[in-house]
């Protein structure tokens, strides 16, 4: 389908692979890039390359960060005995935006999904259990309210409760199947305040 240029077709093909980008959006982006100045294109490709090369997992909480320890794990102002478990760094950012949570996080980078063949070993769960050998008061499970998020929450609770650590689950109020990152701060805080002990 090289109606115009094999280079443009290739660009459209690459953009189409990105999440949420259909073929029309991919074409729009590709033509936009062709019309950008050389400097603008260099800035864009440079940002992509350097993000890929420099972003890594925090040694403690596994969020994506530029340094060995993320700013949250480095901070003495945070309560390091309260760990909120989230599915991804975007969910962490959603809670950080509320400005009201002063504990630390653990980022799983996914959720258990038997349907997609994602098991406990495919997410950062062993790493969480390892952290719990320290002095921890509470684990707040803030995975999404999707089937995968709930499955993960139950799995985590069963794993952690025998260790004698308090495990809580954020309250409903978070719409079913809702991605945490799209929910407003007020709803997030209500869900956090109304968290319940997991059985
Ligand atoms: Zn961290």
């Amino acid at each position: 389908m090289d109606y115009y240029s094999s280079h443009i077709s290739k660009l459209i093909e690459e953009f189409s692979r990105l999440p949420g980008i259909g073929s029309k959006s991919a074409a729009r982006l590709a033509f936009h890039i062709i019309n950008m100045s050389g400097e603008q294109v260099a800035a864009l490709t440079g940002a992509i390359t350097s993000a890929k090369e420099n972003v890594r997992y925090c040694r403690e909480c596994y969020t994506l960060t530029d340094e060995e320890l993320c700013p949250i794990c480095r901070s003495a102002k945070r309560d390091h005995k309260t760990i909120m478990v989230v599915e991804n760094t975007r969910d962490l950012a959603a809670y950080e935006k509320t400005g009201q949570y002063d504990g630390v996080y653990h980022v799983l980078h996914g959720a258990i999904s038997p349907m997609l063949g994602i098991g406990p070993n495919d997410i950062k769960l062993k790493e969480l259990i390892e952290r719990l050998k320290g002095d921890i008061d509470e684990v707040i499970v803030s995975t999404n309210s999707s089937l995968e998020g709930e499955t993960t929450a139950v799995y985590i609770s069963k794993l952690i409760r025998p260790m004698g650590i308090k495990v809580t689950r954020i309250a409903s109020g978070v719409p079913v199947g809702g991605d945490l990152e799209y929910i407003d701060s007020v709803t997030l805080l209500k869900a956090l305040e109304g968290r319940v002990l997991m059985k």
Side-chain angles (χ1 to χ4, degrees):
M1 282 232 293
D2 291 343
Y3 298 120
Y4 10 78
S5 145
S6 59
H7 290 99
I8 293 179
S9 298
K10 179 72 185 147
L11 202 48
I12 294 172
E13 188 190 319
E14 291 300 327
F15 278 128
S16 307
R17 294 182 210 273
L18 301 177
I21 307 285
S23 56
K24 276 187 186 166
S25 301
R28 203 159 40 231
L29 288 171
F31 282 105
H32 180 78
I33 282 176
I34 299 303
N35 288 317
M36 280 162 68
S37 70
E39 293 87 74
Q40 284 174 316
V41 173
L44 176 62
T45 55
I48 293 172
T49 309
S50 94
K52 186 61 197 162
E53 281 172 1
N54 296 305
V55 174
R56 53 172 143 174
Y57 292 139
C58 168
R59 165 162 61 85
E60 194 80 16
C61 73
Y62 291 86
T63 193
L64 296 171
T65 182
D66 293 342
E67 300 180 56
E68 207 181 335
L69 265 185
C70 76
I72 297 168
C73 289
R74 267 205 316 264
S75 171
K77 291 186 184 135
R78 309 294 292 231
D79 166 15
H80 290 259
K81 292 183 175 186
T82 302
I83 299 178
M84 182 192 285
V85 180
V86 291
E87 290 184 22
N88 56 52
T89 294
R90 287 164 296 154
D91 291 346
L92 175 155
Y95 267 101
E96 278 306 283
K97 273 184 213 150
T98 69
Q100 302 289 316
Y101 175 69
D102 69 350
V104 293
Y105 297 89
H106 187 86
V107 183
L108 294 173
H109 294 282
I112 297 171
S113 170
M115 254 169 62
L116 296 173
I118 300 169
N121 290 330
D122 299 315
I123 57 177
K124 303 282 179 203
L125 208 52
K126 284 191 304 287
E127 292 80 353
L128 172 64
I129 301 303
E130 197 56 38
R131 282 179 80 183
L132 300 182
K133 289 176 182 165
D135 188 10
I136 304 296
D137 288 337
E138 181 181 355
V139 172
I140 304 168
V141 184
S142 299
T143 51
N144 293 338
S145 56
S146 60
L147 178 62
E148 291 78 16
E150 292 297 346
T151 305
T152 308
V154 170
Y155 190 91
I156 289 175
S157 167
K158 281 187 178 154
L159 213 57
I160 295 177
R161 274 186 303 120
M163 301 171 81
I165 297 168
K166 182 178 167 191
V167 186
T168 55
R169 176 86 173 108
I170 50 165
S172 49
V174 175
V176 171
D179 271 325
L180 282 184
E181 58 175 317
Y182 297 122
I183 295 163
D184 67 274
S185 294
V186 177
T187 310
L188 274 183
L189 282 178
K190 270 192 194 154
L192 179 59
E193 283 162 8
R195 65 187 184 273
V196 288
L197 205 58
M198 286 195 82
K199 294 190 199 90

